[in-house]
């Protein structure tokens, strides 16, 4: 029973979600703002508990849940993103009568992500995936009177359902061949899948199912519409949190359960990585919606992280895992900054249909100086400018790719990073070098506070990367 203390962060988070939902029933709309602070406190408590449990290992419930360096690292990623989103949402949900539902769904989605990180069984992984997914489907359509939000939610739900079906189909083939859904058990009984059509079909189905979650090309079609149509704070959770859930699941499925089938999936991931990073960056060049640009940027970033499945070295995996953390702060911060701009635009023109249009960023350096500065740091970090988290993550990942002899793959990734600098710099040009007719406005404190937290970690990982890289290396050892 003592081992149940390993579940304390998850239990704390779920308890917070239930408490927020219950208390919200007894508050009127004007006093529901307190729920945002309560939710943020619960997420912070869960984050602290995970940090306190670093170094502890164990199994629970017949070895269906594993607690190790990999699971704990990704829980830190999910909770960090959830904390930023929770703080920023204090302003977004202000005056909303459904505040308790918003925070409860966000918290339950995060809990699902945490269970995916700990899953040591394919069925547990699938159920945890669906817990997170169902909550995010509802969050994407949270603005019920906004047809664009409803469209985003519906597209996300339809594609997500297809993804779940493909993943479950793949799991059924794996179970039929190996007689188990335990991830280590599958790895130990994989012989029957070697060289068989069933093995190849299992790999294809799992790549497709997880590819939708990660938003790899050609499984990415839902991401731009969903990220653009969802509330900006929800887009932050999807891009910075939900996508990483897909990666930790893929790490467990392919690098542990299906490692014996590496010959079947390595080439596929190499092709997907190149196509994903290239198409994401090229299409992002022509976007005028900043949220849509960030969505395609997120697709491209997924392509970079996927390189780890091709290189398959401890350093490459550590780079990919560190990239997941860095991208969480960079992308969450960028979407929250966009949320602040959307708030500014809607406060002046309530009927604006494109509040995230790049034209609305004109003169932002004068109108919202803190938001503009933070956005600049996030964009340059995403581009991989030195002394930022993005640079360190790309350096480790790209260097390990070259070290493995895959120079061609590293060159393609570096060229794509150079392409991305154009559309990131364009936003900075609008913010600082183009005039605006608007006056300076007061920047909402919740958005500003969340952005400043993200900036601190983006710069900390860039300036002082040793401890973060050490934690990423420890997490990579679980896989190799």
């Amino acid at each position: 029973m003592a081992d149940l203390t390993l579940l304390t962060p998850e239990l704390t988070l779920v308890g917070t979600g239930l408490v927020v939902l219950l208390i919200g029933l007894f508050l009127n709309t004007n006093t529901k703002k307190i729920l945002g602070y309560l939710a943020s406190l619960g997420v912070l408590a869960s984050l602290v508990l995970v940090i306190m449990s670093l170094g502890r290992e164990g199994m629970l419930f017949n070895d269906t849940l594993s607690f190790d360096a990999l699971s704990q690292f990704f829980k830190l990623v999910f909770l960090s993103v959830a904390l930023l989103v929770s703080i920023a949402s204090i302003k977004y949900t202000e005056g909303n009568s459904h505040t308790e539902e918003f925070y409860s769904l966000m918290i339950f989605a995060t809990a699902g992500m945490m269970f995916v990180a700990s899953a040591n069984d394919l069925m547990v992984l699938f159920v945890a995936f669906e817990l997170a997914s169902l909550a995010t489907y509802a969050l994407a359509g949270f603005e019920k009177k906004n047809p664009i939000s409803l469209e985003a939610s519906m597209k996300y739900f339809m594609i997500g359902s297809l993804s779940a079906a493909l993943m479950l189909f793949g799991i059924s083939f794996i179970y039929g061949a190996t007689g188990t859904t335990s991830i280590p058990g599958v790895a130990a009984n994989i012989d029957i899948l070697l060289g068989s059509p069933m093995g190849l079909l299992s790999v294809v189905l799992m790549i497709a199912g997880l590819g939708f979650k990660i938003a790899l090309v050609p499984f990415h079609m839902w991401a731009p519409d969903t990220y653009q149509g969802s509330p900006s704070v929800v887009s932050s959770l999807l891009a910075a949190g939900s996508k990483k859930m897909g990666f930790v699941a893929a790490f467990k499925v392919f690098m542990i359960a299906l490692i014996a089938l590496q010959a079947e999936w390595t080439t596929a991931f190499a092709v997907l990585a190149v196509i994903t990073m290239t198409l994401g960056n090229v299409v992002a060049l022509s976007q005028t919606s900043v949220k849509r640009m960030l969505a395609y940027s997120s697709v491209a970033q997924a392509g970079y992280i996927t390189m780890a499945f091709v290189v398959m070295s401890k350093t490459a995996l550590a780079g990919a895992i560190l990239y997941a953390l860095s991208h969480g702060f960079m992308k969450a911060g960028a979407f929250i900054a966009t949320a602040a701009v959307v708030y500014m635009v809607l406060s002046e023109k309530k009927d604006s249909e494109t509040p995230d249009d790049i034209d609305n960023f004109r003169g932002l350096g004068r109108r919202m100086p803190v938001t503009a500065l933070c956005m600049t740091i996030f964009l340059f970090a995403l581009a991989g400018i030195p002394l930022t988290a993005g640079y360190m993550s790309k350096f480790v990942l790209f260097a390990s790719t070259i070290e493995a002899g895959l120079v061609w793959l590293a060159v393609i990734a570096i060229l794509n990073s150079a392409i991305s600098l154009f559309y990131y710099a364009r936003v900075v040009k609008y913010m600082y070098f183009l005039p605006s007719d608007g006056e300076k406005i007061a920047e909402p404190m919740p958005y500003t506070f969340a952005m400043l937290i993200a900036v601190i970690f983006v710069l900390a990982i860039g300036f002082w990367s040793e401890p973060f890289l050490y934690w990423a290396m420890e997490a990579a050892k679980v896989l190799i």
Side-chain angles (χ1 to χ4, degrees):
M1 291 298 291
D3 285 339
L4 286 177
T5 57
L6 292 168
L7 270 179
T8 305
E10 287 86 346
L11 294 175
T12 300
L13 196 62
V14 172
T16 300
L18 294 174
V19 168
V20 167
L21 189 60
L22 183 62
I23 292 178
L25 296 175
F26 303 98
L27 299 177
N28 60 47
T29 302
N30 295 328
T31 57
K32 285 186 176 182
K33 188 174 183 178
I34 193 175
L35 297 177
Y37 296 99
L38 181 59
S40 300
L41 186 62
V43 173
L44 179 60
S46 185
L47 179 60
V48 171
L49 288 170
V50 170
I51 294 173
M52 291 173 61
S53 68
L54 291 176
R56 292 182 62 192
E57 296 185 356
M59 298 279 190
L60 285 178
F61 306 120
N62 294 321
D63 295 347
T64 57
L65 292 177
S66 65
F67 298 83
D68 48 43
L70 179 68
S71 65
Q72 303 301 72
F73 188 95
F74 273 92
K75 287 176 187 178
L76 289 176
V77 175
F78 300 144
L79 288 168
S80 297
V81 171
L83 182 61
L84 295 176
V85 173
S86 182
I87 293 172
S89 298
I90 293 173
K91 185 63 181 180
Y92 170 71
T93 57
E94 191 174 65
N96 194 304
S97 60
H98 300 287
T99 299
E100 67 271 27
E101 289 99 322
F102 179 90
Y103 282 108
S104 295
L105 287 168
M106 185 210 68
I107 287 172
F108 293 146
T110 306
M113 296 175 197
M114 293 175 70
F115 280 114
V116 168
S118 287
N120 199 42
D121 184 277
L122 293 176
M123 287 311 300
V124 173
L125 185 146
F126 176 78
V127 172
F129 237 118
E130 291 311 293
L131 169 60
S133 297
L134 289 172
T136 52
Y137 297 155
L139 284 171
F142 186 72
E143 296 178 357
K144 294 185 291 184
K145 295 182 180 180
N146 183 351
I148 299 177
S149 180
L150 294 178
E151 180 186 353
S153 179
M154 184 55 67
K155 287 181 177 178
Y156 188 25
F157 171 71
M158 297 294 289
I159 298 298
S161 299
L162 175 61
S163 165
L166 291 173
M167 195 189 312
L168 194 57
F169 202 17
I171 290 173
S172 69
F173 278 114
I174 294 171
Y175 173 72
T178 63
T180 181
T181 55
S182 167
I183 290 176
V186 169
N189 297 281
I190 198 73
D191 294 349
I192 194 170
L193 289 176
L194 291 175
S196 73
M198 187 181 292
L200 181 60
L201 186 57
S202 299
V203 168
V204 170
L205 288 170
M206 293 306 292
I207 288 178
L210 291 169
F212 278 113
K213 300 291 186 184
I214 297 171
L216 296 177
V217 175
F219 314 109
H220 71 293
M221 65 283 287
W222 62 272
D225 291 336
T226 299
Y227 290 4
Q228 182 183 18
S230 301
S232 297
V233 288
V234 175
S235 300
S236 178
L237 180 67
L238 295 177
S242 185
K243 185 184 289 282
K244 309 309 175 298
M245 174 182 68
F247 272 112
V248 70
F251 286 148
K252 287 173 175 284
V253 170
F254 292 103
M255 296 188 183
I256 299 178
L258 302 180
I259 187 63
L261 299 174
Q262 183 179 352
E264 276 81 359
W265 50 258
T266 299
T267 304
F269 275 120
V271 173
L272 289 173
V274 171
I275 295 175
T276 299
M277 67 177 78
T278 304
L279 186 139
N281 281 316
V282 171
V283 178
L285 291 172
S286 60
Q287 301 304 311
T288 56
S289 162
V290 172
K291 287 172 69 175
R292 201 170 182 85
M293 179 271 286
L294 289 174
Y296 279 109
S297 158
S298 190
V299 170
Q301 306 285 335
Y304 301 142
I305 299 176
T306 305
M307 292 166 59
F309 291 90
V310 184
V311 182
M312 284 296 290
S313 68
K314 189 182 298 181
T315 306
L317 288 175
I321 292 169
L322 180 64
Y323 208 129
L325 176 65
S326 302
H327 186 259
F329 286 114
M330 296 183 295
K331 190 64 72 173
F335 270 111
I336 291 170
T338 305
V341 175
V342 169
Y343 165 80
M344 175 191 73
V345 174
L346 293 179
S347 64
E348 296 174 345
K349 295 178 288 186
K350 292 184 179 181
D351 58 344
S352 175
E353 295 183 358
T354 56
D356 65 316
D357 190 277
I358 194 169
D359 277 332
N360 293 323
F361 284 72
R362 285 175 174 268
L364 193 69
R366 181 177 60 82
R367 301 196 65 192
M368 302 177 75
V370 176
T371 299
L373 177 61
C374 291
M375 186 64 161
T376 300
I377 293 172
F378 297 138
L379 294 175
F380 283 160
L382 286 166
I385 298 300
L387 300 181
T388 64
Y391 169 78
M392 286 308 305
S393 303
K394 287 183 178 180
F395 176 80
V396 175
L397 186 55
F398 295 176
S400 65
T401 305
I402 295 172
E403 187 179 4
L406 298 168
V407 178
W408 63 272
L409 183 57
V411 169
I412 292 173
I414 292 169
L415 291 175
N416 270 284
S417 291
I419 292 173
S420 71
L421 187 59
F422 173 81
Y423 58 80
Y424 291 134
R426 183 177 59 178
V427 179
V428 177
K429 182 187 81 170
Y430 271 76
M431 291 192 296
Y432 286 103
F433 299 104
L434 294 182
S436 171
D437 296 330
E439 299 297 324
K440 183 177 180 180
I441 69 166
E443 300 178 65
M445 184 54 66
Y447 290 141
T448 304
F449 188 52
M451 285 186 288
L452 290 175
I453 294 174
V455 163
I456 289 170
F457 281 95
V458 166
L459 296 178
I461 297 173
F463 279 92
W464 189 45
S465 59
E466 289 85 356
F468 299 99
L469 186 56
Y470 170 78
W471 294 335
M473 288 293 288
E474 291 298 307
K477 290 178 182 177
V478 177
L479 299 170
I480 292 185

